[in-house]
Amino acid sequence: MTYDAILLTSFGGPEGPDEVMPYLERVTAGRGVPRERLEEVSHHYLALGGVSPINEQNRALLAAMRERFPERGIDLPIYWGNRNSAPFFADVVKEMYDNGHRRVLAWVTSAYSSYSGCRQYRENLYQALADNDLVGKMVIDKVRHYFDHPGFLQPVIEDLEDKLQAMVKDGLDYSEIDVMFATHSIPDAMGETSGPPALRETFEKPGGAYEAQHLAAAEIVMNKVHSDLGVSSVSWQLVYQSRSGSPQIPWLEPDVNDAIRDIHASGKKGVIVVPIGFVSDHVEVIWDLDNEAQETASELGMYFARVTTPGSSLAFTDGIADLILERVNGAAAQALSPLGPWPSQCVAGCCPNLRRELKVIAEASAE
């Protein structure tokens, strides 16, 4: 397929105290999140000066992509747009069109299947086209999910090995350490409906494809770590964090803090948290893990460490280039789990909007 531009597509975040509440209101619009929950979360941002690290991290990744991609044979301009903060999708779509671009390939800073991590971006990008009267005049396609791509997982593997060895050097045995792979919790209903309709019944509920993809990524990481370190006794589990919805709606569990208390009760002495659901160290990582989860472990007298996210590392930047080349010149798709490579296009009904159906970009037939 021929494309004339690439769009780094992300979530966004506030860049000053005055932006925090308007940002949170945009993020949670129509979802029934109690006002007191928004105020609670706003304090997390305000504790960091009202600035989310995500935008600066995206600027670093954008710079890395612009530097590395020509060396990989990708000579396309790269733009950056956000769902919930400037640069907003509508503004960037207009800029791309005004600059002469008509076929754009979007790469999203979300590696997994879910409504909020995939379909909502496709809805938002369609709306950006509609807002600019560009439906039918500009095409935006989307890169596939990459939860099991080696470029996404290699930085995680390397840092987890370092963190495990450091904890053992401090006097713990590998069997006394639990590795927790943490990701953003989502409502059970969103988990159950994640992924293509034809595959939905093959996944355990309520986590669905969303949970299955995370478990696949975690298993890849742990198999490599066990092999590299020559051990097999490190326990691991998938945990969830950052719940933000109505307390009456069930969300995926266990919460990371509850899980830390449980392993302490079972005799574990150390916990290493791997933010496998995130590509960079934004607020959900820095506050919910580096602050709250670490505090829970500290109160219990446990060793605690947190593994880095892929960020703008060379391995991850090259992984993104691999994904782009799959679509640009038909390069072979790389995947390390039996679930992959994930389909290059989402089908109708994939990760549905459970409140109302909206038009989307980049959708294939369900047949």
Side-chain angles (χ1 to χ4, degrees), residues 147-148 216-217 220 335-341:
F147 59 93
D148 58 357
I220 292 164
L336 298 175
S337 83
L339 293 181

Side-chain angles (χ1 to χ4, degrees), residues 2 13 23 57 73 102 108 112 121 138 143 177 196 229 246 258-259 284 289 300 311-312 315 320 326 339 351 357:
T2 300
Y23 160 79
Q57 290 162 1
R102 300 296 181 266
V108 180
Y112 302 91
Y121 283 105
M138 173 188 273
V143 169
I177 304 168
L229 299 184
S246 167
D258 293 337
E284 284 84 354
L289 299 182
L300 297 169
S312 55
I320 301 168
E326 288 179 22
L339 293 181
C351 302
E357 186 173 351

Side-chain angles (χ1 to χ4, degrees), residues 12-43:
E15 297 205 271
D18 292 342
E19 296 182 18
V20 172
M21 282 305 293
Y23 160 79
L24 292 174
E25 289 166 352
R26 283 193 296 272
V27 171
T28 60
R31 297 191 179 185
V33 179
R35 183 71 182 182
E36 55 268 26
R37 174 58 180 164
L38 294 187
E39 293 174 352
E40 177 188 347
V41 175
S42 74
H43 294 307

Side-chain angles (χ1 to χ4, degrees), residues 9-12 26-29 31 83-84 89 108-125 142 145 183-191 193-195 210 214 241-242 244 251-252 277-278 284 350-355:
T9 310
S10 195
F11 193 82
R26 283 193 296 272
V27 171
T28 60
R31 297 191 179 185
R83 173 193 290 171
N84 296 300
F89 289 153
V108 180
T109 56
S110 173
Y112 302 91
S113 295
S114 72
Y115 168 71
S116 59
C118 181
R119 189 179 190 89
Q120 190 175 4
Y121 283 105
R122 297 193 294 122
E123 292 175 347
N124 298 153
L125 290 170
K142 176 186 169 295
H145 296 299
T183 191
H184 207 300
S185 185
I186 58 175
D188 285 7
M190 190 185 295
T193 56
S194 59
Y210 181 75
H214 282 84
Q241 61 172 94
S242 311
S244 60
W251 284 50
L252 297 182
F278 305 91
E284 284 84 354
C350 188
C351 302
N353 183 334
L354 298 178
R355 291 174 292 166

Side-chain angles (χ1 to χ4, degrees), residues 58-122:
N58 279 329
R59 292 185 184 101
L61 180 58
L62 180 65
M65 292 167 66
R66 286 173 171 169
E67 178 180 356
R68 181 60 173 162
F69 278 20
E71 299 171 352
R72 295 291 309 275
I74 304 171
D75 294 310
L76 297 173
I78 308 173
Y79 295 78
W80 163 42
N82 286 330
R83 173 193 290 171
N84 296 300
S85 69
F88 288 102
F89 289 153
D91 298 329
V92 177
V93 164
K94 183 180 186 299
E95 179 186 3
M96 291 190 294
Y97 186 83
D98 290 346
N99 289 345
H101 303 300
R102 300 296 181 266
R103 295 195 64 87
V104 177
L105 184 58
W107 173 83
V108 180
T109 56
S110 173
Y112 302 91
S113 295
S114 72
Y115 168 71
S116 59
C118 181
R119 189 179 190 89
Q120 190 175 4
Y121 283 105
R122 297 193 294 122

Side-chain angles (χ1 to χ4, degrees), residues 22 65 95 112 121 132 166 177 199-201 205 223 245 305 312 322 324 338 345 349 367:
M65 292 167 66
E95 179 186 3
Y112 302 91
Y121 283 105
N132 288 289
I177 304 168
L199 297 178
R200 206 161 285 157
E201 295 305 315
K205 295 181 179 180
N223 285 345
S312 55
D322 292 339
I324 298 294
Q345 281 192 303
E367 297 179 357

